[in-house]
Structures are given as structure tokens and as C-alpha cells.
């Protein structure tokens, strides 16, 4: 669903800004986007997650300067996927954090 060309413009592109003016509700009401599932099996951790993701991300950006290893900077981040019980990156992301 997340990669359906009939629903999303350039679905393969990482474009978080596509949601800025969007009315799509991520809380299970709109089936185009269901990061926490929907219906009776919807993620019960959603209220905690939606608060903590912002807090953790903001803390990491506020406290550290981030950069990619030189080789990754040169070749760009490998977005290849590996399918299993969950979908994960084929090659793990390494990011170098320096305390500010
Ligand atoms: C960004 C963070 C999170 C995301 C994206 C996420 C996403 C999901 C998704 C997609 C499901 C499956 C829903 C379905 O089957 O339709 C799920 C289930 C579940 N999540 Fe989360 N989750 C997150 C955080 C959490 C947290 C913080 C907790 C607990 C503290 C949690 C507890 C659970 C549990 C217990 C289930 C199983 C519910 C069931 O099968 O009835 N999740 N989550």
C-alpha cells in the first residue's frame, strides 16, 4: 500500500515533506498510511510511541553532531532491503555521533 503509485506520488522516494499539508491521519483512520496498524489489532503502544519518537529524536539532534562514514558520504546510503519476519536494511546504517 505504501508503494502504490495510484495513491502516492513517487512512492519509492523518501519525501517526508509529502505529509506536511496532508490531511491523512496516521492513527488507523486512513488506510493509505497505517504505521501502527488499524482496527482491533492496532498498536496499543501508539500513544507512548508518538510522544517518545519526537522526544528521543529531538534529544539526539540537540545533543550530538551527526555525520556519515566517509565511504557512505561518497556512495550515498544503501537503501537496499532484506525481507524477513520484519523488513530491515540489507546493510546496517552507521552514523557517527559527536557530543556537542
Ligand atoms: C514508533 C513505534 C511503533 C510502531 C511504528 C509500532 C507499530 C506497530 C504495528 C504496525 C503493529 C501491528 C498492528 C497490527 O497487527 O495491525 C504493532 C503492534 C503492537 N505494538 Fe507497536 N509500534 C510502536 C511502538 C510500540 C510501543 C512503544 C509499544 C509498547 C510499549 C508497542 C506495543 C505493541 C503491541 C503489544 C502490539 C501487538 C498488538 C496486538 O497484536 O494486539 N508498540 N505495533
Amino acid at each position: 500500500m505504501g508503494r502504490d503509485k495510484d495513491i502516492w506520488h513517487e512512492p519509492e522516494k523518501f519525501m517526508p515533506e509529502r505529509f506536511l499539508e496532508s490531511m491523512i491521519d496516521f492513527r488507523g483512520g486512513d488506510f493509505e498510511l497505517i504505521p501502527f496498524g488499524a482496527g482491533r489489532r492496532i498498536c496499543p503502544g501508539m500513544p507512548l510511541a508518538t510522544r517518545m519518537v519526537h522526544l528521543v529524536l529531538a534529544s539526539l539532534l540537540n545533543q550530538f553532531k551527526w555525520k556519515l562514514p566517509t565511504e557512505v558520504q561518497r556512495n550515498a546510503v544503501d537503501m537496499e532491503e532484506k525481507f524477513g519476519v520484519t523488513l530491515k536494511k540489507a546493510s546496517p546504517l552507521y552514523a557517527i555521533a559527536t557530543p556537542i
Side-chain angles (χ1 to χ4, degrees), residues 34-46 48-50 52-53:
I34 45 172
F36 295 98
R40 294 172 72 176
R41 295 300 294 268
I42 196 168
C43 175
M46 180 169 61
L48 177 64
T50 50
M52 291 310 292
V53 168

Side-chain angles (χ1 to χ4, degrees), residues 34-76:
I34 45 172
F36 295 98
R40 294 172 72 176
R41 295 300 294 268
I42 196 168
C43 175
M46 180 169 61
L48 177 64
T50 50
R51 286 163 179 84
M52 291 310 292
V53 168
H54 300 92
L55 185 64
V56 170
L57 181 63
S59 302
L60 290 171
L61 292 175
N62 187 251
Q63 297 294 318
F64 297 92
K65 192 172 179 301
W66 292 89
K67 69 173 186 179
L68 293 167
T70 321
E71 189 192 304
V72 181
Q73 274 181 43
R74 223 179 295 126
N75 304 328

